Amino acid sequence: MNLRIPGPTPCPEDVLAAGAAQMMNHRGPEFAQILRRVTDGLNWVFGSPTDVLSFTTSGTGGLEVAVVNTLSPGDRVLSVSIGSFGDRLKSIARTYGADVVGYATEWGEAADATVIAKMLDDDPSIKAVLVTHNETSTGVTNPLEVIAKEVRKRDRLIIVDAVSSMSSIPCPVERWDLDVVVSGSQKGWMVPPGLAFVYMSERAWAANAEAKMPRFYFDAAKTRESLAKLQNPWTPAMSIYYSMDKAFELLRAEGLEGIFTRHEDVAAYTRERVKSLGLKLVPVNEQFASNTVTAVWWPEGIDAKAMSKRAREEFGVVLGGGQGKLEGKIFRIGHLGWFQKSDIAEALDVVERLLTEAKATA
């Protein structure tokens, strides 16, 4: 099966095999060594001067960690949404009682840093900015470095969903002066779902000391205290840690620049191939097109569900569908983590064949 959704992504066989290892004492010295190696690997990829925390949960759980550990009910926050996952982060904040001000673009567009700057200038009561780095629902990557500069100038917190960007495209947390950054194991890390990773800056920890949103399992302070002893506060998803430990061997062997270049090259190939088929990309400005997932409009009159079903059942290619208001209108091709260019070429060959057949029978 050629799995081309943007997560969970395919995993190397040796990473899967590592996850099949027998259980051990999660508070013993053997697991402590694994947790140390995995944390060191996270620090390397995030570009963090302090330890990145890991939680047994999905990426969405990681976003909840980010919100509840830095904010209090009634805090005014600016939600920057360019798609489905930006809306999700906004919903998490609202669920816990934040006073959310929204800035939403049309799906397919990136956020404008000057708009964010003006909104912050117009409303000094805004404490934090919530923003998605890479929006997989639309295949758009926000200009996060530029956005972060505007937020930092105004001394507000910036909380970032980097679930589908970190480890695949650059997102250096210290260099870009970010406050809270979240990723998840099922994306570019080449590992099954089960772990979320959360970086917190010193400003974020200062906010944590005053934050009043309820938390127990997702308490970052407890997690940091346990990590200092090379433990988790609760029983961790040990098999996923085993897999992460193996995955870091592969990631370090390739190197960050090699990883970023591979994703950039395949993304460029995918976009050019899509355009050669006469199809239109969802990103309005290709400058902001994602290097981890390409979102494409189906032509008018195409039965999207039927096409995706045929691709899966007849050719073993699993395409990502549209989410929310894009359901039935687009398809998405994930190219993040563990993949070969030939995997993407095969998927696009199938799309080309199905479109040619549909045109012939129209």
Side-chain angles (χ1 to χ4, degrees):
M1 190 68 71
N2 188 349
L3 185 64
R4 295 272 60 86
I5 63 174
T9 63
C11 302
E13 290 298 327
D14 50 354
V15 169
L16 295 176
Q22 186 56 268
M23 293 298 100
M24 63 178 66
N25 180 5
H26 65 297
R27 304 206 184 280
E30 295 83 7
F31 186 73
Q33 293 174 12
I34 293 173
L35 181 56
R36 183 68 264 167
R37 288 195 298 269
V38 167
T39 302
D40 287 344
L42 294 172
N43 299 342
W44 167 63
V45 174
F46 275 72
S48 171
T50 58
D51 282 345
V52 175
L53 306 179
S54 51
F55 296 80
T56 293
T57 185
S58 66
T60 300
L63 298 178
E64 190 163 320
V65 170
V67 169
V68 302
N69 281 280
T70 55
L71 301 174
S72 298
D75 279 348
R76 197 162 176 80
V77 300
L78 172 59
S79 165
V80 180
S81 178
I82 64 171
S84 177
F85 290 97
D87 288 348
R88 181 178 298 183
L89 184 51
K90 175 175 64 178
S91 295
I92 293 170
R94 279 186 172 156
T95 296
Y96 280 93
D99 178 15
V100 180
V101 179
Y103 161 41
T105 68
E106 289 296 321
W107 287 23
E109 295 181 354
D112 186 336
T114 61
V115 172
I116 295 170
K118 185 177 187 306
M119 294 183 75
L120 294 178
D121 288 340
D122 290 346
D123 190 348
S125 68
I126 292 174
K127 178 177 180 178
V129 177
L130 313 176
V131 61
T132 306
H133 185 198
N134 187 76
E135 179 58 66
T136 57
S137 69
T138 61
V140 173
T141 300
N142 265 324
L144 180 59
E145 183 178 12
V146 179
I147 292 170
K149 285 181 180 178
E150 297 299 336
V151 176
R152 289 267 44 86
K153 286 178 186 177
R154 291 156 180 84
D155 198 27
R156 319 295 174 87
L157 289 176
I158 181 165
I159 298 173
V160 180
D161 171 354
V163 172
S164 62
S165 59
M166 188 65 73
S167 80
S168 300
I169 60 179
C171 185
V173 298
E174 184 179 35
R175 183 149 55 87
W176 288 1
D177 212 6
L178 307 175
D179 288 310
V180 188
V181 184
V182 179
S183 190
S185 61
Q186 77 278 15
K187 299 291 186 176
W189 304 91
M190 306 185 297
V191 172
L195 292 180
F197 315 120
V198 182
Y199 162 80
M200 294 177 63
S201 71
E202 289 306 312
R203 288 182 299 269
W205 282 114
N208 173 262
E210 300 178 354
K212 298 296 190 293
M213 285 184 177
R215 53 196 181 272
F216 182 81
Y217 183 81
F218 286 150
D219 190 319
K222 289 180 181 176
T223 302
R224 182 169 67 165
E225 290 170 6
S226 291
L227 181 57
K229 299 180 288 185
L230 291 182
Q231 294 184 10
N232 298 90
W234 327 115
T235 305
M238 297 178 67
S239 298
I240 310 302
Y241 279 101
Y242 299 166
S243 290
M244 283 294 301
D245 196 23
K246 173 58 69 172
F248 274 122
E249 294 180 14
L250 306 179
L251 292 169
R252 287 187 184 277
E254 187 173 6
L256 286 179
E257 289 306 314
I259 293 168
F260 298 154
T261 298
R262 175 167 59 88
H263 282 77
E264 183 179 358
D265 290 347
V266 170
Y269 162 78
T270 305
R271 292 192 290 269
E272 290 306 310
R273 179 76 188 278
V274 163
K275 290 186 288 185
S276 75
L277 298 178
L279 299 176
K280 184 180 178 182
L281 298 170
V282 174
V284 174
N285 185 340
E286 196 170 332
Q287 174 187 351
F288 301 114
S290 170
N291 284 344
T292 65
V293 56
T294 297
V296 186
W297 293 101
W298 285 114
E300 288 291 331
I302 288 293
D303 184 336
K305 290 185 178 180
M307 294 286 274
S308 294
K309 182 179 180 181
R310 284 196 63 197
R312 182 182 69 255
E313 294 182 354
E314 297 179 28
F315 303 99
V317 171
V318 182
L319 301 172
Q323 295 178 300
K325 60 186 177 182
L326 297 182
E327 184 178 359
K329 299 178 181 179
I330 72 168
F331 67 93
R332 297 175 298 150
I333 295 180
H335 35 77
L336 68 166
W338 185 61
F339 62 85
Q340 304 293 328
K341 185 177 179 180
S342 58
D343 299 325
I344 313 304
E346 177 192 1
L348 291 169
D349 287 345
V350 169
V351 170
E352 181 176 16
R353 175 172 175 172
L354 293 176
L355 288 174
T356 300
E357 292 178 4
K359 184 177 180 180
T361 57

